[in-house]
Amino acid sequence: MLKKSVALLFVLTTVMCCKQNDKKTEQLVIDPHSYAEPQHVSVKHLDLILEVEFDKQLINGIATWTIENHTQYDEVVFDTKGLTVHKVILDDAENEEPFFALGDEDEIFGQPLSIQIKPGTRKVSIYYTTSQNAEALQWVTPLQTFGREHPFLYTQSQAILARSWIPCQDSPGIRFTYTARVKVPNQFLALMSAENPQQRNSEGIYQFKQDHPIPSYLMALAVGNLTFKKIDNLCGVYAEPQMIDKAAYEFSDVGKMVKAAESLYGKYLWGRYDLLVLPPSFPFGGMENPVLTFATPTVIAGDRSLVNLIAHELAHSWSGNLVTNASWNDFWLNEGFTVYFERRIIEKLYGKEEANMQEVLGYKDLENGISDFGQTHPDTRLNLDLTDRSPDDAVTDIAYEKGFLFLKNIELAVGREKFDKFLKHYFSKYAFKSVTLEDFENELNNYLIKGNENLKTAINAYGWIYQPGLPKNAKLPHSARFDTIDALSVNFLKDELQAPLNRNIKSTNEKLYFIRSLPDSINIQKLQYIDSVFHFTTSHNSEIQYAWYLLGIKKNYQPVYPYLDTFLNTVGRRKFIEPLYGELLKNKKDKKLAEDFYQRNRPNYHAVSTRTIDKLFNKK
Ligand code: BES
Ligand code: ZN
């Protein structure tokens, strides 16, 4: 799809202006998901002026890009999606408006914006307005917030949605610094992936600065009735007033996490590390926006049992934000590294057994993921080909958990000390750069393997990266505590209802493991018994709710349905709601219910979630 539009664009541009230098220069990484042509002209810096209009649910913006012209080229190309471009100015020359054109619209990739420039042009200012259905923007109604009084706006730019609120070269291989000036209604606070204010001001005008070069998918904005609470000198949390204390309690270890991370892989380079708790419609668990991680409120369990999510987003400050996958085909370079790093932080703070349990739970996800695809499906390879496909297709357990397991297996092959040195080297060598799979393989060969054939065989990078499924000799994670649960489950399922479940199943990890290992054939009395012991149906822990409701739907276990109803009505996190709707749809009895629920809840979900779940309903 994208190719076709690029071809069209080529026709358009040759008509538009005569190229003096038509020779293609050496290609940088070709990103199949961006129209930009950074080999000719790439962006270096952005000065952004935004005005947020809640009434009309749109943003008016002026994006002034400082560009570098590598080939004396006569045009610069940006990605846009649904943007109305009012005018373009070059180098502050108000009276001289250059020719610009929007190309054909692609449903996934949007439209290229081509602007005619001169070889000496340094700055391009684009005046624009976002559309009603800009996918990155979630306009949360007051009733969907905790306070129920004020609306809220947040963005989600990863993977390729930044183009729906900023005209940009929307590729993870292109980095830029930015400043922004954002005007919001005056009772609101605005926050970005940059140095942030901690207090509201009376005019509702906020200035931001991000001095480190970042890729476009890390552009972020949130506007709402937000307050700040300090956790320590480096870290704090922003949330609606109703959530702020709970959030500060839940995240109290974040400073220790930063220290643990620094002790592993080098200094934290982004200044502050703050967290923002979003309304429950946020489609992800967390998003690693630099300086300010965006987090779902479903991570706040009240007992800090889900804070690995914070370790994960923090770890992205190295793997992802500092060293970035150059194209979404190599998404595992972001996520697999991050899951590995996350679990090292968890091990440092909470011990080896805690990390082991999380590894095993992750491995169970991976097993299910691979079996859902089928063992030989090409999308079970780490190296993906997403040409003409949405980068959303990369967001699977393969990138996260197969990526993790590969790195863990390298650690086991070379020893932790060497592997840590390797990672430290990798993060420092590629700091503020984007990496390709080839870069990673070169580092592996030159820094770790160094011609040692035995090691090369033991690591088996080829098998892990390019072959589907899992290599036969993969070393798998193991948890002693889960062994105890396995034994207990066997007795519980075989015998009558006296197994001493609550004596041995205490932590959230153990409960999750227990629920997930229950077979589909379990009978309703057993579910009732489990509920009488653990009260899973009325749990407030989102991971437990999710796992239990999924089983409940499979078994048509009636007590969960009212709670499932509330859950689907409030939570918009795709990882939870997609499988729940999917399971409801599988069950003939629940199909109508699924449709009713979805029809009612759909307007409350973020476009990221509805895009995925719509497909589920259209398939049936
Ligand atoms: N960067 C991802 C979220 C993401 C991925 C957004 C791809 C858009 C496209 C984030 O770091 C993430 O992985 N979040 C997980 C949390 C986790 C694995 C602990 C999530 O949202 O569930
Ligand atoms: Zn992640």
Side-chain angles (χ1 to χ4, degrees):
M1 281 171 278
L2 188 59
K3 269 196 215 116
K4 198 163 37 162
S5 318
V6 170
L8 282 177
L9 171 73
F10 182 74
V11 175
L12 179 92
T13 50
T14 38
V15 175
M16 203 167 86
C17 46
C18 40
K19 287 207 163 71
Q20 308 200 310
N21 177 1
D22 238 348
K23 259 190 273 151
K24 281 249 173 224
T25 48
E26 224 186 301
Q27 298 281 323
L28 301 169
V29 181
I30 294 297
D31 180 347
H33 303 119
S34 169
Y35 293 103
E37 300 181 339
Q39 69 276 26
H40 296 301
V41 182
S42 61
V43 298
K44 282 284 163 255
H45 177 79
L46 167 65
D47 292 302
L48 190 61
I49 299 176
L50 299 178
E51 186 175 358
V52 176
E53 294 198 34
F54 276 97
D55 300 344
K56 299 191 192 139
Q57 301 202 329
L58 57 79
I59 295 179
N60 285 310
I62 307 171
T64 299
W65 287 101
T66 306
I67 56 171
E68 254 176 28
N69 194 335
H70 310 288
T71 57
Q72 302 269 303
Y73 218 56
D74 47 19
E75 78 173 357
V76 53
V77 185
F78 295 95
D79 294 292
T80 71
K81 197 168 189 192
L83 301 182
T84 305
V85 178
H86 307 293
K87 71 170 174 178
V88 176
I89 287 174
L90 303 184
D91 290 327
D92 306 323
E94 292 275 353
N95 48 356
E96 223 185 292
E97 293 184 22
F99 183 82
F100 66 89
L102 283 164
D104 280 354
E105 168 134 31
D106 179 276
E107 214 256 316
I108 300 172
F109 306 109
Q111 292 170 282
L113 166 65
S114 317
I115 299 169
Q116 192 173 357
I117 55 169
K118 301 191 188 94
T121 303
R122 285 285 157 266
K123 284 190 181 186
V124 179
S125 299
I126 305 162
Y127 292 63
Y128 68 98
T129 303
T130 58
S131 78
Q132 275 288 315
N133 39 21
E135 283 162 286
L137 305 180
Q138 178 76 347
W139 300 94
V140 181
T141 64
L143 288 181
Q144 293 171 260
T145 65
F146 291 103
R148 302 172 75 84
E149 225 179 291
H150 304 283
F152 196 109
L153 166 69
Y154 64 83
T155 63
Q156 169 57 43
S157 296
Q158 196 183 10
I160 55 167
L161 304 180
R163 62 190 71 177
S164 74
W165 68 289
I166 305 170
C168 58
Q169 294 193 326
D170 202 4
S171 168
I174 303 171
R175 308 177 89 89
F176 54 89
T177 50
Y178 78 86
T179 69
R181 177 182 186 276
V182 181
K183 167 104 184 69
V184 300
N186 43 28
Q187 68 271 39
F188 295 102
L189 181 65
L191 302 170
M192 291 192 82
S193 49
E195 252 173 60
N196 275 308
Q198 292 182 347
Q199 269 165 0
R200 277 171 248 209
N201 63 43
S202 52
E203 330 77 271
I205 295 176
Y206 298 91
Q207 311 274 356
F208 302 89
K209 192 154 70 89
Q210 176 52 270
D211 286 335
H212 298 298
I214 60 165
S216 56
Y217 78 90
L218 296 176
M219 289 301 297
L221 171 70
V223 182
N225 178 26
L226 289 163
T227 51
F228 174 78
K229 188 162 179 176
K230 177 176 160 171
I231 294 177
D232 59 29
N233 281 338
L234 180 75
C235 305
V237 58
Y238 296 88
E240 289 184 63
Q242 294 78 2
M243 283 302 276
I244 194 81
D245 290 330
K246 279 189 203 158
Y249 173 82
E250 203 77 16
F251 304 148
S252 64
D253 275 350
V254 59
K256 283 187 218 151
M257 288 183 178
V258 177
K259 292 223 165 61
E262 287 189 313
S263 76
L264 285 165
Y265 303 125
K267 217 172 148 26
Y268 176 78
L269 295 173
W270 299 89
R272 294 187 56 82
Y273 182 72
D274 292 320
L275 294 148
L276 164 65
V277 179
L278 291 170
S281 66
F282 186 53
F284 293 103
M287 178 63 214
E288 66 271 27
N289 296 314
V291 189
L292 183 68
T293 282
F294 283 22
T296 168
T298 64
V299 68
I300 301 176
D303 59 3
R304 302 174 180 157
S305 62
L306 303 177
V307 293
N308 72 295
L309 186 138
I310 305 306
H312 179 96
E313 304 313 332
L314 169 67
H316 272 306
S317 307
W318 288 259
S319 44
N321 299 2
L322 198 57
V323 180
T324 311
N325 52 212
S327 118
W328 298 116
N329 285 339
D330 301 325
F331 183 55
W332 79 274
L333 290 175
N334 270 17
E335 296 299 343
F337 274 71
T338 298
V339 174
Y340 177 84
F341 195 165
E342 163 199 339
R343 290 181 182 150
R344 292 294 302 276
I345 297 172
I346 294 298
E347 183 185 322
K348 257 196 184 291
L349 254 64
Y350 309 112
K352 207 162 177 62
E353 185 53 29
E354 178 65 29
N356 287 347
M357 288 193 281
Q358 298 192 9
E359 289 176 11
V360 174
L361 288 170
Y363 177 67
K364 294 278 163 203
D365 288 335
L366 178 58
E367 269 187 326
N368 293 337
I370 294 179
S371 101
D372 288 350
F373 273 120
Q375 298 288 334
T376 56
H377 195 288
D379 284 357
T380 65
R381 302 160 13 131
L382 287 176
N383 171 239
L384 297 176
D385 181 5
L386 297 170
T387 313
D388 290 343
R389 293 165 66 190
S390 163
D392 230 28
D393 289 5
V395 189
T396 71
D397 293 315
I398 305 301
Y400 289 80
E401 295 295 345
K402 185 178 174 182
F404 160 77
L405 205 55
F406 176 31
L407 298 180
K408 177 86 189 177
N409 271 258
I410 304 178
E411 181 210 307
L412 293 172
V414 302
R416 185 169 269 194
E417 205 183 315
K418 264 200 189 151
F419 191 54
D420 281 351
K421 266 202 191 135
F422 167 75
L423 287 181
K424 223 172 161 173
H425 154 81
Y426 175 82
F427 290 134
S428 94
K429 176 164 175 182
Y430 292 95
F432 300 110
K433 294 204 171 70
S434 300
V435 282
T436 60
L437 192 51
E438 205 184 333
D439 294 325
F440 168 72
E441 289 177 299
N442 285 339
E443 290 306 324
L444 203 57
N445 286 328
N446 301 337
Y447 200 92
L448 271 185
I449 298 177
K450 294 183 182 155
N452 179 336
E453 284 300 319
N454 291 338
L455 201 53
K456 188 170 178 193
T457 312
I459 290 178
N460 185 16
Y462 182 83
W464 280 95
I465 298 173
Y466 297 100
Q467 289 179 330
L470 284 184
K472 286 207 177 53
N473 59 351
K475 294 210 170 65
L476 306 181
H478 173 252
S479 147
R481 285 219 221 149
F482 286 174
D483 288 347
T484 313
I485 298 178
D486 283 338
L488 198 66
S489 292
V490 170
N491 284 336
F492 170 66
L493 291 167
K494 205 168 49 191
D495 289 332
E496 285 318 298
L497 307 170
Q498 300 100 355
L501 295 178
N502 51 354
R503 212 185 302 146
N504 290 292
I505 302 173
K506 292 207 168 108
S507 67
T508 296
N509 290 329
E510 291 166 311
K511 289 175 182 169
L512 287 173
Y513 184 77
F514 174 64
I515 298 172
R516 292 209 217 159
S517 49
L518 294 171
D520 289 358
S521 58
I522 189 169
N523 66 39
I524 296 287
Q525 282 97 320
K526 290 232 157 76
L527 292 183
Q528 282 166 338
Y529 177 73
I530 294 170
D531 235 353
S532 74
V533 175
F534 295 110
H535 309 289
F536 288 149
T537 295
T538 52
S539 167
H540 291 293
N541 181 306
S542 59
E543 292 281 352
I544 290 178
Q545 287 174 282
Y546 163 66
W548 184 245
Y549 298 164
L550 202 62
L551 182 64
I553 301 168
K554 280 189 194 152
K555 302 305 299 181
N556 219 271
Y557 173 58
Q558 290 305 311
V560 302
Y561 282 75
Y563 294 90
L564 170 70
D565 183 358
T566 310
F567 191 76
L568 291 173
N569 190 222
T570 40
V571 175
R573 189 170 169 190
R574 183 173 67 177
K575 178 183 115 166
F576 294 151
I577 62 176
E578 185 201 2
L580 288 170
Y581 280 112
E583 206 52 56
L584 282 171
L585 279 172
K586 269 193 215 156
N587 190 333
K588 273 210 189 79
K589 277 198 206 140
D590 288 337
K591 192 164 174 262
K592 176 81 176 55
L593 193 67
E595 277 157 4
D596 291 349
F597 280 172
Y598 192 51
Q599 197 179 15
R600 183 196 59 194
N601 299 332
R602 194 180 179 283
N604 301 344
Y605 296 149
H606 191 283
V608 160
S609 292
T610 55
R611 239 177 202 281
T612 312
I613 301 173
D614 282 353
K615 284 191 214 141
L616 220 59
F617 279 86
N618 294 335
K619 245 195 289 180
K620 303 280 149 174

